[in-house]
Amino acid sequence: MATDWLGSIVSINCGESLGVYQGRVSAVDQVSQTISLTRPFHNGVKCLVPEVTFRAGDITELKILEIPGPGDSRQCGDLQQTEMGIPGVGCQVGPSQNGTGKVLKKPISSSAPQNIPRRTDMKNQDIIISPQQQCSKSYMDRHVETLTQSKGFRRRHNSWSSSSRHPNQVTPKKSGLKNGQMKSKDDECFGDDIDEIPDTDFDFEGNLALFDKAAVFEEIETYERRSGTRSRGTPNEKPARYRHDENILESEPIVYRRIVVPQNANKEFCTDSGLVVPSVSYELHKKLLSVAEKHGLTLERRLEMTGVCASQMALSLLGGPNRLNPKNVHQRPTVALLCGPHVKGAQGISCGRHLSNHDVHVILFLPNFVKMLESITNELNLFSKTQGQQVSSVRDLPDTPVDLVINCLDCHENAFLRDQPWYKAVVDWANQNRAPVLSIDPPINEMEQGIDAKWSLALGLPLPLGERAGRVYLCDIGIPQKVFQEVGINYHSPFGCKFVIPLHST
């Protein structure tokens, strides 16, 4: 009975260590429990030896791929397919309904690299196998399994001639003209010999180097210029791009000089949007504040607006929301506020009150005087209701660097204060503390500034500040437009949606 399986094409799985072998059965020894394959393929690669022999103990799975018919000179399969180790149709052996044979279904096999054989498309066919074709009960029946049909492939079966069919085999139905057409298409697509496929890999880099992309695009552009056409994806000119806040409709030309002062400005600044902001003299600035106060913008209102704008800028310099949030209570910023006994000092006290309300540790320095200005007294009364700390001696100022120093010591008029011992001591402390300095409404003369500032905040319109003022910012203190016109200034607000804007030197 074992000799009935000679010539069959089988696939033998010997586990992970030995791999999968495919070939035609050349010998089956029931005594020694061995099977031999001729022209074997190991894991899809043709073996160097013409024949291999397997013991029963080495075999974990055995699949019958093709069963030869009696008198079939090619032994039921394409010789080229056999030589390449390509599986044909799988076999599923099991009891038939009448008990006299076994039913064999032939789905396609999914095995290692293969050349699709030339076959006709047919439905799954039931084939009756006689008991004489069953393999040895002690060996073959233990290793015959069903080949599962692979997804994505058509079901193809070898077309066997009437002379090569088994006597007990059921004759398949003819597929007709349609299947004949499909066979012709399959031959055109899959009929080439697999030996003709080159073994070397395709050289992508070498072939890509042969393509001169610059020359091709130059040729395309030359053709477009001559014919007046434009290729898809290669526009002749780049489309205009607009920002999200930019109007695409044509409008009147932008006027960048919207503020005109009655006298030539010694220095001009510009905003981030390009608007020109000229500087004014101290006399014109003083006159502007006086006229505004006459129209109702009192000193108290101006101090409040200055304090709010200066505190907003200071909070931004301290880190803004990244520093001042409930998760950073252990990093409470410290600000040293240095104020003199004048209106500039009152502006600083107002700023310190707002900073303290925003959970900033404020240390206010103000020298002791017998008589203070009413504005300073009022601001001190409000500041005393906060958590801020007031000191009058330099020894009470912190020895370690603070986060920010706000300078309100200097004044435009009281120059004699610079000769006072407390002034010199505070200036020395500020220069040694190494903290960044913000000056509020600094004077014009650089000789009157004892502390170099990193930032300076101007009120309404900037003064012609020098290099020691650092980077200049401008704040809106609420002066109406007609007040500017009353002092001879043609004014249009440069602030936009903000109350504090940076200025750049032109």
Side-chain angles (χ1 to χ4, degrees):
M1 294 176 63
T3 58
D4 295 338
W5 296 97
L6 296 180
S8 300
I9 299 177
V10 297
S11 175
I12 299 177
N13 187 355
C14 299
E16 297 181 357
S17 59
L18 297 179
V20 179
Y21 287 84
Q22 296 173 348
R24 191 178 296 277
V25 179
S26 60
V28 178
D29 191 345
Q30 293 181 268
V31 178
S32 60
Q33 292 289 292
T34 60
I35 182 173
S36 299
L37 301 182
T38 183
R39 298 179 182 176
F41 280 75
H42 180 220
N43 294 332
V45 180
K46 188 174 183 180
C47 298
L48 299 179
V49 295
E51 187 179 45
V52 291
T53 302
F54 304 91
R55 296 180 301 175
D58 298 333
I59 300 175
T60 59
E61 184 181 17
L62 188 146
K63 296 180 181 180
I64 299 177
L65 305 181
E66 188 173 300
I67 302 175
D72 188 0
S73 58
R74 301 189 63 178
Q75 294 183 333
C76 191
D78 195 332
L79 182 59
Q80 178 183 1
Q81 173 187 346
T82 305
E83 292 176 353
M84 295 304 297
I86 306 304
V89 277
C91 302
Q92 180 180 2
V93 180
S96 64
Q97 295 180 356
N98 55 13
T100 60
K102 295 189 177 181
V103 179
L104 177 65
K105 287 187 178 289
K106 303 195 299 178
I108 190 71
S109 170
S110 59
S111 187
Q114 41 183 286
N115 181 27
I116 305 299
R118 303 178 183 179
R119 304 169 183 172
T120 58
D121 290 338
M122 292 187 293
K123 303 287 184 179
N124 284 352
Q125 307 167 9
D126 292 345
I127 301 177
I128 305 299
I129 301 177
S130 63
Q132 289 79 10
Q133 288 183 307
Q134 300 182 15
C135 62
S136 173
K137 183 177 182 181
S138 61
Y139 175 70
M140 296 296 290
D141 285 344
R142 293 183 301 152
H143 300 288
V144 176
E145 292 186 1
T146 303
L147 278 178
T148 57
Q149 180 176 355
S150 300
K151 295 182 178 180
F153 290 92
R154 295 183 178 181
R155 299 175 179 176
R156 299 187 179 92
H157 305 283
N158 290 335
S159 56
W160 295 346
S161 60
S162 58
S163 60
S164 61
R165 295 193 190 99
H166 193 274
N168 295 332
Q169 180 179 333
V170 177
T171 303
K173 297 180 180 180
K174 295 184 179 180
S175 56
L177 180 60
K178 183 178 180 181
N179 285 341
Q181 295 176 351
M182 295 300 298
K183 176 183 178 181
S184 176
K185 294 181 179 180
D186 289 345
D187 291 342
E188 293 178 3
C189 183
F190 305 108
D192 294 338
D193 191 352
I194 195 172
D195 292 333
E196 299 178 1
I197 300 177
D199 296 335
T200 58
D201 295 335
F202 182 75
D203 187 6
F204 288 95
E205 295 182 359
N207 283 267
L208 185 60
L210 300 177
F211 175 65
D212 191 355
K213 184 165 57 176
V216 172
F217 277 106
E218 183 179 359
E219 182 180 355
I220 294 174
E221 292 176 358
T222 303
Y223 172 77
E224 292 173 356
R225 286 194 297 267
R226 293 178 179 177
S227 60
T229 59
R230 180 172 63 88
S231 309
R232 181 180 181 183
T234 56
N236 292 330
E237 56 183 10
K238 295 182 179 179
R241 295 189 178 185
Y242 300 93
R243 300 194 310 270
H244 66 280
D245 57 348
E246 187 176 0
N247 190 6
I248 63 174
L249 301 178
E250 295 183 1
S251 58
E252 298 180 358
I254 302 176
V255 179
Y256 292 100
R257 189 176 294 274
R258 299 181 179 182
I259 303 176
V260 181
V261 296
Q263 55 193 11
N264 293 331
N266 296 331
K267 191 174 184 179
E268 288 186 342
F269 302 89
C270 67
T271 63
D272 290 338
S273 58
L275 299 178
V276 179
V277 180
S279 64
V280 295
S281 62
Y282 171 69
E283 290 76 14
L284 183 58
H285 193 271
K286 184 178 179 180
K287 182 181 178 180
L288 176 64
L289 297 180
S290 178
V291 174
E293 187 174 355
K294 183 178 67 174
H295 287 286
L297 187 61
T298 61
L299 177 61
E300 289 76 12
R301 288 188 175 184
R302 194 169 78 238
L303 293 178
E304 190 68 18
M305 283 296 300
T306 304
V308 170
C309 292
S311 61
Q312 286 182 352
M313 181 176 177
L315 290 173
S316 177
L317 296 176
L318 291 172
N322 296 326
R323 180 76 179 275
L324 300 168
N325 62 67
K327 297 181 180 180
N328 286 340
V329 292
H330 61 287
Q331 295 181 352
R332 185 182 178 190
T334 302
V335 174
L337 188 59
L338 310 179
C339 298
H342 39 63
V343 176
K344 309 298 180 185
Q347 295 174 351
I349 298 173
S350 175
C351 174
R353 170 167 54 89
H354 290 288
L355 289 177
S356 184
N357 290 339
H358 286 266
D359 204 22
V360 177
H361 183 209
V362 179
I363 302 175
L364 170 62
F365 171 82
L366 182 66
N368 287 327
F369 278 82
V370 178
K371 186 178 181 181
M372 292 284 188
L373 296 176
E374 183 181 0
S375 59
I376 293 181
T377 303
N378 294 336
E379 292 296 334
L380 282 177
N381 291 335
L382 291 174
F383 182 80
S384 62
K385 305 302 180 182
T386 66
Q387 298 294 328
Q389 178 184 357
Q390 180 183 354
V391 298
S392 59
S393 175
V394 180
R395 294 190 298 269
D396 297 330
L397 292 174
D399 298 331
T400 57
V402 295
D403 294 282
L404 181 65
V405 173
I406 299 179
N407 180 20
C408 298
L409 293 174
D410 302 308
C411 181
H412 298 283
E413 298 172 349
N414 300 333
F416 67 92
L417 294 177
R418 293 187 292 108
D419 298 330
Q420 299 295 325
W422 61 266
Y423 183 91
K424 295 180 180 180
V426 172
V427 169
D428 293 339
W429 176 88
N431 291 330
Q432 294 176 4
N433 191 266
R434 298 180 181 179
V437 178
L438 168 64
S439 293
I440 300 178
D441 194 14
I444 301 175
N445 191 358
E446 293 188 0
M447 297 301 296
E448 297 179 1
Q449 300 181 25
I451 304 174
D452 292 337
K454 188 174 182 179
W455 308 281
S456 292
L457 182 64
L459 311 180
L461 283 177
L463 301 175
L465 302 175
E467 297 294 335
R468 299 186 65 181
R471 187 174 182 182
V472 181
Y473 284 76
L474 184 66
C475 73
D476 184 10
I477 58 176
I479 302 177
Q481 185 178 11
K482 292 185 177 180
V483 175
F484 284 97
Q485 295 178 357
E486 190 171 342
V487 298
I489 300 176
N490 187 8
Y491 180 83
H492 190 281
S493 175
F495 292 97
C497 62
K498 300 180 180 179
F499 281 88
V500 180
I501 58 174
L503 297 180
H504 310 279
S505 298
T506 57

